[in-house]
Amino acid sequence: MTQLVCPFCGPRELHEFEFRKTAASAGGTPVERVYLRVDHPDLSIEHWHHVRGCRAWLVIERNPSTDAICRVRLLGGDAE
Amino acid sequence: MNSTTSRRGLRLGEGTFSFNFDGRRYQAREGDTAASALLANGVRLMGRSIKARRRRGVLTAGPEEPNALLTVGDSFNCIPNVAAPQLVLRAGLLLRSQNRWPSLKFDVASVLQAGGGILGAGFYYKTFMWPSWHTYEPLIRRLAGLGSAPAACTLPQASIENFSCDVLIGGGGVAGLTAARAATRAGARVVVCEREPCLGGEIEFEDARIEGTGALAWLRELAVELNSRGARLLFETTVVGGRGGEVIAHAEPGGLAGANTLYRIRPRVFVVAMGATERPLTFVDNDLPGVMLLSAAERYGVRYGVRIAKRTVIFANHNRAYAAATRLAAAGMQICAIVDTRPESAITEARVAALREQLVRSGIECLYEQTVIAARGRAGVTAAEVGSITGTGHVRVIECDTILMSGGWTPVTHAGQQEGGTRRYVPDIAAFVADRQPDARMTVGAANGVFELSAICHEAQAIGERAARLAGQACSPVPPPKAQGDPAPELRPFWRSPAPRAAEKRQFVDFQNDVTVADLRSAVEEGFYEIEHAKRYTALGFGTDQGRLSGVLGAAIIAELRGEPLDRVGTSRLRQPFHPVTLKSLAGLRTGAALRVTRRTPLHKWHLAQGGVMGPTGLWMRPMHYGKAGADVARISALEATAVRTTGGISDASTLGKIEIAGPDAAAFLDYLYMTPASSLKVGRSRYAVNLREDGMVLDDGLLLRMGSDRFRATTSTGHAEEMLAHFEYYRALEFGTAQVVISDVTDAWAVIVVAGPKSREALLPILEDPSRPPVAALQHMDFTMARFAGAELLVLRASFSGELACELHCPPDSAASLADALVGAGMKPYGLEALDILRVEKGYLTHAELSGQTTPYDLGMEGFLKRKDRFVGSDLLDRPAFHEESRPRLVGVRAANGHAAFLAGAQLVGREDRNHPCGYITSSALSPALGEYIGLALVARSIGEGAEIIARDPLRLGDTTVRIAPIVHFDPSGERMRR
């Protein structure tokens, strides 16, 4: 992908964003939350930062096998 | 034969001019390419091959040219490896052939040719080994490669253009244009990329009629229609790659790297219509000047009016040979024979049979199931040896000066191999075409393996409409244009003529890389039979060719040698860019100073006026010291540091990050972000504050100021300013989503001047406005207050990084220079980063050298701050056993065991008994003017106690020094100097 759709700004070039980390699964011990991740070939939930834009933090659900974006929403928004 | 003035061609203008090739002047017509002009002037020898330095002429009439690569310009300022068929000539151009010495005609290194087999595939693994490869390496390197790089590169800047459109069509031939017209008529925004300077592709050469008119007239009308409907036509622009929905195209006007443009295109639909490349056939000495592709002869004839031969033999495995022969004969070329590798029964098209009858009647022999076995000649073709495809029987010699060969066509599918696109083999045309593709990418025309004009028009119309629909335009299907061009090829695969083993090393498969059948056989026999291995072992498909011309040919020969079908062998993976792109084009305007932003503090000019020598810290320019450039930095910094400790100095701390956090929940938020609590901080006070990462390692340190009950200002280190802001914003979103907290980055809003030294207070007070003086005079250590200077508001914070009595002054950027001037006027001397580092090492203060991201608060002796029970970022993992092991390092001071010895940061520390296992390293060091010796800070294993003597090992710089562990604070341990 070379573009991401920011909830505030609309479709923007990828270089405006920075990947921070893959989100940890809910629950788990502190060590697991910091260090351990389970890899799914179909789904990666990631925290990205719109650094060179509105600076919103986003949760991006992405398919790592096809590099297709399934869903983009704000971090700390509704469902968190 | 080919007079400059009387030639007629589609691309030629009226004017004539002269150009230079290898020191001789030649005449050319406006519109001529280097290849067409040289051929018209009777020049056939245009280069020498890369390995064996064999004589070479131009093989093709397109960018896939492997042989005729020229250097344009003189040896100082030139562009190498320019394809002669693509270079549009201008008056006065200086052209030179490549890869020969001393001249094209007499090349000394071609004596290697006589050596025959020593330069076979993988020769550098098998030969030139005694006594070692390096003995021969310089010679081989000098002989290797194609052109030579220029001494200077003065290419003009390239531009990069980004745009999006509905339908991008790569290729402006009949397929691409029919699709473009269909899409444009449906209302889509269409862009067409065509690599030639004009539209048409192959249609110029076929006897084609489309929609009732001749091909050329049809093209003209269509171009007018496309323009009037707003389609954008990009000429001399080649699609070179792209990914993720982006297509990258490169425009090189005139076929010469110059004012290039790189296009980054976001189409909703990408239609690949880039045609097919004619491929050669393999026979002995098929690389002689005079052996060319069949289509090349037609192109040079039709476009440039050049008749490239007097007597020619045509050698092919398909029907088009007869159509081409008819046209070439009509243009005045004498055709001696048509050598067809197929049986006569392979021709079923009535039109072809008719053409053939006519040719025979006009005296041209048509031979079946025959092949050209070898080309004869030394400097160029003088005859063709023709015999049966079985390799037995009688061999005839036909005198000629040119052999025009055509082994079929390889569809240009490179774009189809990206992003999960697959290919499949089509036996009818003995080639690979794009198979499954993402929805938004379609292939049409010869690129899709369809070579017959009416089928192309039919398919292209449908594709154009489908593309428009996919791009969101409604359109109903329209009947495709009726067209008739050359008959269907009815191709039968044929790859190489039979030859005895000894002759296989003169049967060329890849001309640019001198790969012969012998090399391919060698690869297969030696175990490199997988196509990717064979490619790398033999160099098949390297260079600017990248398999475009000979990739399938080479794969097919390998398949024959392996006894397997071609689709099992496959071809090697095609990689971007699919056509050479200059690095300057990829860089665009992002070169030199425009590559990285330079950040300057508000005092930048002031530093320069004071004699500051600036150096980069990340993107910032900061003053290292205030001596002259090239002066003895150590001496000057020592003087600056001494001045601070005796009277006072000022330095620029504007680059440190400043973040304001405000709101009713600000204190709770900062309690969570910092290891040191914020809510207990009183208004008007500041505190040393430390941030941890979530894994418990120390991330950064700084000061936290409480401006009000709901307002804080945090400072960070320069290097971590961006990261800390992101860190704050992250946790604000993650865990404080519903809290009332506002974060603002105010780094650029305030200039910060530090005034430090015993006389700093005396210097500061008089320059402040009268009412500000008492509060500032009464400031206690770590307190701050607001003040006024020359009408501007100032925050005065009493804090010290030098260990002297000091204040940080946060002022508006516009006031910084006058504030600095006033302080200098009061006797404070500017000091730079070098002096600052000396001062802080003397006091044991920490920078990124100690806060490396691999140290815990315990390592750094920060246990005193860890009295909290509540959770904060990093607290979860702070108590893990690994953080408390004996092997964890501890921050200590170091001194030389012998007072005058030197040591430097970076030196590894080892015990006296075991000198090969480090137990730590020196993180910071300085030659302290206050103490008169080297001092440092280090991280060493906990087991090593204070006073212990260990060795600092620095083999690249100072060698071994004995040091002893000392207290962290080297100077003024009680800190009374800054608390005065």
Side-chain angles (χ1 to χ4, degrees):
Chain A
M1 40 150 186
T2 46
Q3 279 189 333
L4 281 177
V5 181
C6 169
F8 290 125
C9 309
R12 304 296 300 175
E13 293 292 309
L14 190 65
H15 59 70
E16 288 186 10
F17 300 83
E18 269 175 22
F19 167 84
R20 164 114 181 190
K21 65 199 306 192
T22 309
S25 353
T29 64
V31 167
E32 285 169 2
R33 278 203 301 276
V34 171
Y35 287 114
L36 295 183
R37 297 291 183 271
V38 180
D39 282 336
H40 289 288
D42 301 323
L43 181 63
S44 173
I45 304 180
E46 303 167 352
H47 293 169
W48 287 69
H49 190 195
H50 195 181
V51 179
R52 282 170 273 274
C54 63
R55 297 192 73 87
W57 275 95
L58 309 173
V59 180
I60 293 188
E61 292 177 20
R62 188 174 71 90
N63 182 329
S65 307
T66 61
D67 207 26
I69 307 283
C70 313
R71 201 174 152 209
V72 177
R73 57 192 163 87
L74 289 179
L75 178 62
D78 31 64
E80 276 287 89
Chain B
M1 173 167 77
N2 294 304
S3 134
T4 303
T5 42
S6 63
R7 276 191 282 145
R8 300 252 82 83
L10 288 182
R11 299 264 178 105
L12 295 182
E14 284 310 314
T16 64
F17 54 86
S18 66
F19 70 98
N20 205 298
F21 173 63
D22 274 358
R24 279 187 64 178
R25 269 180 73 193
Y26 298 94
Q27 290 295 105
R29 281 276 290 284
E30 207 182 304
D32 256 336
T33 62
S36 65
L38 286 173
L39 287 170
N41 279 280
V43 175
R44 292 225 289 187
L45 181 59
M46 296 192 199
R48 284 198 176 248
S49 72
I50 186 173
K51 245 188 336 187
R53 313 280 270 229
R54 290 169 63 99
R55 293 179 186 79
R56 293 286 169 86
V58 66
L59 183 73
T60 69
E64 62 273 10
E65 175 57 36
N67 292 334
L69 300 180
L70 310 176
T71 297
V72 181
D74 54 47
S75 57
F76 183 76
N77 184 7
C78 65
I79 299 173
N81 296 336
V82 180
Q86 295 300 101
L87 171 62
V88 176
L89 290 177
R90 295 190 302 272
L93 264 192
L94 214 67
L95 307 177
R96 290 180 288 138
S97 59
Q98 297 181 163
N99 217 36
R100 79 296 183 271
W101 186 83
S103 77
L104 203 46
K105 271 206 169 129
F106 304 105
D107 175 60
V108 165
S110 68
V111 84
L112 293 171
Q113 204 184 124
I118 55 167
L119 292 182
F123 74 90
Y124 36 84
Y125 303 123
K126 305 172 195 165
T127 56
F128 302 113
M129 294 306 266
W130 187 90
S132 103
W133 159 246
H134 296 293
T135 318
Y136 309 94
E137 192 181 344
L139 173 66
I140 305 249
R141 284 197 188 280
R142 270 200 51 210
L143 296 176
L146 291 170
S148 309
C153 179
T154 53
L155 288 184
Q157 210 147 42
S159 44
I160 296 189
E161 190 187 319
N162 301 280
F163 65 87
S164 56
C165 60
D166 289 336
V167 182
L168 172 69
I169 300 182
V174 174
L177 293 174
T178 304
R181 188 178 67 174
T184 319
R185 282 181 179 175
R189 284 176 308 136
V190 171
V191 174
V192 178
C193 280
E194 167 53 53
R195 70 148 197 248
E196 296 287 324
C198 38
L199 301 171
E202 299 296 306
I203 202 64
E204 297 165 323
F205 322 116
E206 296 194 19
D207 298 315
R209 291 193 70 74
I210 309 182
E211 294 183 313
T213 55
L216 298 174
W218 181 82
L219 269 179
R220 272 194 299 272
E221 281 174 29
L222 188 135
V224 168
E225 182 186 335
L226 284 178
N227 276 314
S228 70
R229 284 185 193 267
R232 188 172 173 195
L233 306 175
L234 298 171
F235 291 103
E236 296 183 295
T237 305
T238 314
V239 170
V240 293
R243 53 175 283 275
E246 184 186 45
V247 176
I248 302 191
H250 187 225
E252 215 167 52
L256 187 64
N260 295 354
T261 308
L262 194 78
Y263 295 103
R264 301 186 65 157
I265 308 170
R266 258 331 139 54
R268 296 171 85 165
V269 183
F270 177 31
V271 175
V272 176
M274 287 177 268
T277 309
E278 193 168 38
R279 38 181 199 228
L281 291 161
T282 311
F283 50 91
V284 176
D285 289 333
N286 62 340
D287 67 329
L288 272 175
V291 178
M292 295 176 68
L293 291 180
L294 180 55
S295 62
E298 295 209 79
R299 282 174 208 212
Y300 287 119
V302 171
R303 287 179 180 164
Y304 308 102
V306 179
R307 194 152 28 102
I308 60 168
K310 296 197 190 70
R311 295 166 52 95
T312 182
V313 166
I314 293 180
F315 175 32
N317 62 349
H318 53 77
N319 284 344
R320 195 179 178 149
Y322 301 94
T326 310
R327 288 190 288 264
L328 289 171
M333 206 181 285
Q334 185 190 351
I335 300 175
C336 309
I338 299 178
V339 180
D340 195 333
T341 63
R342 305 170 298 166
E344 197 172 343
S345 54
I347 302 177
T348 62
E349 285 254 348
R351 268 197 301 152
V352 181
L355 284 173
R356 195 204 29 195
E357 288 314 310
Q358 227 173 326
L359 289 165
V360 170
R361 250 180 276 131
S362 63
I364 298 172
E365 262 192 278
C366 296
L367 307 169
Y368 300 99
E369 292 186 290
Q370 299 272 297
T371 168
V372 171
I373 304 232
R376 282 196 185 176
R378 210 182 73 96
V381 173
T382 54
E385 290 178 16
V386 178
S388 158
I389 57 173
T390 56
T392 57
H394 177 59
V395 170
R396 282 176 58 182
V397 176
I398 305 178
E399 285 185 10
C400 59
D401 60 24
T402 306
I403 300 175
L404 299 175
M405 59 181 176
S406 173
W409 301 269
T410 301
V412 179
T413 59
H414 56 239
Q417 270 202 308
Q418 299 157 235
E419 297 188 283
T422 58
R423 297 187 310 166
R424 68 169 198 281
Y425 179 67
V426 180
D428 275 353
I429 55 172
F432 294 88
V433 298
D435 189 16
R436 273 195 342 262
Q437 303 289 300
D439 278 343
R441 185 163 76 225
M442 308 163 192
T443 313
V444 68
N448 201 25
V450 179
F451 300 131
E452 212 263 299
L453 196 61
S454 62
I456 290 177
C457 286
H458 192 96
E459 197 189 46
Q461 177 77 25
I463 291 271
E465 288 166 0
R466 199 166 107 213
R469 254 179 260 126
L470 206 58
Q473 303 295 329
C475 75
S476 36
V478 160
K482 287 213 173 21
Q484 196 194 54
D486 276 0
E490 293 184 314
L491 180 144
R492 297 267 178 106
F494 185 85
W495 309 106
R496 64 182 179 118
S497 61
R501 288 283 175 106
E504 280 180 355
K505 61 179 187 275
R506 283 155 44 214
Q507 288 188 315
F508 285 84
V509 177
D510 182 326
F511 298 85
Q512 187 170 99
N513 299 291
D514 265 354
V515 179
T516 64
V517 173
D519 295 327
L520 297 180
R521 185 185 287 281
S522 191
V524 172
E525 284 173 1
E526 292 173 33
F528 300 98
Y529 46 77
E530 290 293 339
I531 189 70
E532 296 283 3
H533 291 157
K535 170 187 174 181
R536 284 148 180 82
Y537 191 62
T538 61
L540 172 75
F542 280 15
T544 62
D545 178 69
Q546 287 295 306
R548 193 163 22 184
L549 198 58
S550 310
V552 175
L553 177 60
I557 294 174
I558 290 176
E560 268 181 26
L561 294 171
R562 278 168 61 173
E564 293 188 43
L566 176 53
D567 53 339
R568 183 100 66 82
V569 170
T571 59
S572 59
R573 189 171 181 79
L574 300 165
R575 299 180 190 281
Q576 308 180 39
F578 299 113
H579 184 79
V581 181
T582 59
L583 288 175
K584 213 148 190 185
S585 298
L586 295 172
L589 297 173
R590 295 185 309 257
T591 59
L595 180 58
R596 282 172 37 158
V597 167
T598 303
R599 297 181 77 177
R600 300 186 176 94
T601 71
L603 286 171
H604 186 85
K605 287 209 184 86
W606 187 89
H607 291 308
L608 293 174
Q610 295 288 320
V613 173
M614 311 301 282
T617 307
L619 296 177
W620 290 100
M621 292 303 281
R622 304 176 74 181
M624 296 291 126
H625 60 83
Y626 292 85
K628 295 197 240 341
D632 181 357
V633 178
R635 196 180 63 86
I636 296 201
S637 325
L639 286 173
E640 287 176 10
T642 307
V644 173
R645 295 240 186 263
T646 47
T647 42
I650 67 167
S651 69
D652 182 356
S654 307
T655 60
L656 275 65
K658 299 176 272 298
I659 306 174
E660 288 214 0
I661 304 96
D665 296 319
F669 176 68
L670 289 172
D671 277 346
Y672 187 71
L673 266 284
Y674 281 90
M675 185 183 84
T676 45
S679 46
S680 55
L681 187 58
K682 294 194 173 23
V683 177
R685 294 258 323 144
S686 75
R687 170 181 288 174
Y688 177 65
V690 177
N691 303 90
L692 301 185
R693 280 202 316 247
E694 59 175 359
D695 63 357
M697 296 291 187
V698 175
L699 175 56
D700 196 36
D701 69 350
L703 294 179
L704 197 56
L705 284 68
R706 192 159 199 167
M707 324 278 289
S709 64
D710 287 353
R711 188 159 156 236
F712 294 80
R713 184 179 294 181
T715 71
T716 77
S717 64
T718 300
H720 281 126
E722 305 272 332
E723 192 179 339
M724 290 313 298
L725 181 64
H727 185 76
F728 280 30
E729 289 170 336
Y730 180 63
Y731 284 100
R732 165 82 177 78
L734 183 67
E735 311 230 7
F736 285 80
T738 51
Q740 295 182 56
V741 178
V742 172
I743 301 170
S744 310
D745 173 25
V746 296
T747 308
D748 293 333
W750 300 100
V752 178
I753 297 177
V754 170
V755 54
K759 305 238 183 311
S760 59
R761 191 190 281 136
E762 290 157 43
L764 176 61
L765 289 178
I767 67 177
L768 297 176
E769 283 177 22
D770 222 351
S772 303
R773 294 181 199 160
V776 172
L779 272 183
Q780 296 298 304
H781 184 60
M782 299 302 268
D783 282 355
F784 66 91
T785 185
M786 304 309 288
R788 296 191 70 81
F789 162 77
E793 196 176 39
L794 205 60
L795 183 149
V796 180
L797 162 66
R798 187 173 158 181
S800 177
F801 195 54
S802 54
E804 296 300 313
L805 169 65
C807 280
E808 266 189 33
L809 309 170
H810 295 206
C811 73
D814 291 342
S815 311
S818 48
L819 178 57
D821 278 336
L823 288 165
V824 166
M828 302 287 98
K829 299 232 178 322
Y831 65 99
L833 286 188
E834 301 278 344
L836 179 62
D837 202 48
I838 294 174
L839 296 168
R840 71 98 187 165
V841 174
E842 285 175 341
K843 292 299 296 181
Y845 291 146
L846 309 181
T847 62
H848 62 271
E850 291 76 31
L851 305 175
S852 61
Q854 294 176 340
T855 46
T856 72
Y858 306 109
D859 298 345
L860 298 172
M862 292 176 178
E863 298 89 341
F865 297 107
L866 284 168
K867 297 192 181 88
R868 301 165 62 174
K869 299 276 194 291
D870 55 334
R871 263 188 87 224
F872 53 88
V873 174
S875 67
D876 285 341
L877 263 60
L878 259 189
D879 290 324
R880 45 185 161 144
F883 276 18
H884 301 275
E885 281 170 8
E886 270 299 297
S887 55
R888 283 304 305 177
R890 191 171 54 93
L891 183 70
V892 296
V894 284
R895 296 284 199 104
N898 150 13
H900 303 293
F903 52 83
L904 293 171
Q908 296 292 303
L909 296 168
V910 299
R912 305 179 77 134
E913 304 75 33
D914 184 359
R915 293 199 174 203
N916 285 321
H917 284 106
C919 55
Y921 68 102
I922 298 180
T923 59
S924 307
S925 67
L927 175 52
S928 161
L931 299 159
E933 59 177 270
Y934 275 84
I935 57 172
L937 298 172
L939 289 164
V940 281
R942 285 187 188 190
S943 49
I944 300 182
E946 192 166 313
E949 286 197 355
I950 53 178
I951 317 283
R953 303 204 70 183
D954 199 348
L956 293 180
R957 294 178 300 184
L958 298 178
D960 289 3
T961 315
T962 309
V963 298
R964 67 181 156 79
I965 308 297
I968 295 173
V969 184
H970 298 276
F971 178 77
D972 180 34
S974 64
E976 51 146 21
R977 292 176 72 96
M978 65 185 178
R979 288 175 207 276
R980 292 179 195 166

